[in-house]
Amino acid sequence: MVSAVFHSPVEAALPDTPARDLKAVPRAAANDAPPAVAPAPLRKPPFDWRGLWLRVLPPLAGLGLLVVLWEIVSVATAGSIPTPRDTWAQAVDVFSDPFYSKGPNDQGVGWNVLSSLQRVALGFGLAALVGIPAGFAIGRFTFLSRMFNPLISLLRPVSPLAWLPIGLLVFKGANPAAIWTIFICSIWPMVINTAVGVQRVPQDYMNVARVLNLSEWKIVTKILFPAVLPYMLTGVRLAVGTAWLVIVAAEMLTGGVGIGFWVWDEWNNLNVKNIIIAIFVIGIVGLLLELALVKLASAFTFEEVRS
């Protein structure tokens, strides 16, 4: 008797492999599949040295140019303007103890800066409490806009220091007069920018509010405030910069503790080194205030905020 024997395809492909070892043959090998290729490792992108130099080199070049020009002016004035090296040595001495106090008219630079910042904060805060709601009202209602526009156009160009004697006459004190001057110079940017922002809200938004019969409070909080926020923060930035500029001049005239008074007192003592140090301190504090407000504006708006 002849019996027919059938072989599986695997056995036919592997004739020398015993049947009991077929289970040990990998499925990929049995099906003649190509071996799996491992993915190539991700390469870390090279460090952007060119971008780093473009960020670091221009500011360093600008500072170097300032130092060179400063040195030239010092030589040209026969030492009337101190050299950068002498000013740096004086700055190290001044900032070694910035918070000393030897009486009401002899305090460290730290106390003077804090006193000026306190006056700016009070005057600016009062201006924000008055100016931002006034800007919303002027921009929202045509009657108020036509009523206050001539007054704003008349009073805004007046120098802030022109209001200082009025403050001294009304408040009978140098400190409240300086705060009053900061209030006057800070209120106009916030009123104008807020009003412009309200007037530029798309009319479609107001039409939707009218269809939904929204109250005036909901219109302000749900529609106007989000749309006006970028304009309002721009006004805040302009107001803070103006306030920091004005407080120095106001303190020169009123006296007391403050960075402006410190500059004037050092001039009376003919200490030019400290005057130059005060100039740099004023600039650095103003820069920090500007950067802080740029960060604040970037956090609360979807638009790119440029310094």
Side-chain angles (χ1 to χ4, degrees), residues 62-72 84:
L63 292 175
L65 178 62
L66 174 63
V67 172
V68 171
L69 293 177
W70 184 356
E71 188 72 31
I72 293 174

Side-chain angles (χ1 to χ4, degrees), residues 243-257:
W244 184 243
L245 290 174
V246 171
I247 191 61
V248 176
E251 289 173 346
M252 284 183 176
L253 298 176
T254 59
V257 181

Side-chain angles (χ1 to χ4, degrees), residues 31-53:
N31 296 332
D32 291 333
V37 179
L42 297 176
R43 294 183 178 180
K44 187 178 180 179
F47 187 79
D48 188 9
W49 291 103
R50 183 174 180 275
L52 178 63
W53 278 110

Side-chain angles (χ1 to χ4, degrees), residues 106-272:
D106 187 9
Q107 299 191 19
V109 63
W111 291 121
N112 286 282
V113 171
L114 290 179
S115 297
S116 298
L117 287 174
Q118 183 181 10
R119 295 188 182 99
V120 169
L122 289 174
F124 172 80
L126 293 174
L129 290 176
V130 176
I132 292 177
F136 271 101
I138 293 172
R140 181 75 176 91
F141 302 105
T142 305
F143 178 82
L144 293 179
S145 177
R146 294 178 179 177
M147 175 180 175
F148 285 101
N149 277 341
L151 296 178
I152 295 174
S153 300
L154 175 66
L155 299 178
R156 184 175 62 89
V158 177
S159 172
L161 293 181
W163 296 96
L164 184 60
I166 303 298
L168 291 171
L169 179 64
V170 173
F171 299 105
K172 310 297 183 181
N175 190 54
I179 296 173
W180 156 257
T181 306
I182 296 301
F183 170 82
I184 287 295
C185 74
S186 301
I187 194 171
W188 307 125
M190 286 187 279
V191 170
I192 294 172
N193 281 273
T194 304
V196 170
V198 173
Q199 292 171 352
R200 291 188 179 181
V201 173
Q203 188 60 35
D204 293 342
Y205 294 178
M206 307 309 297
N207 294 337
V208 171
R210 190 179 297 110
V211 170
L212 297 177
N213 198 22
L214 297 180
S215 63
E216 189 64 31
W217 174 253
K218 286 189 177 181
I219 291 176
V220 172
T221 57
K222 302 297 184 182
I223 297 178
L224 294 181
F225 184 78
V228 177
L229 188 58
Y231 296 91
M232 188 174 65
L233 291 176
T234 300
V236 168
R237 289 173 56 196
L238 294 174
V240 167
T242 305
W244 184 243
L245 290 174
V246 171
I247 191 61
V248 176
E251 289 173 346
M252 284 183 176
L253 298 176
T254 59
V257 181
I259 190 65
F261 170 74
W262 193 61
V263 171
W264 191 250
D265 187 57
E266 296 303 326
W267 164 249
N268 291 328
N269 296 328
L270 297 179
N271 194 342
V272 183

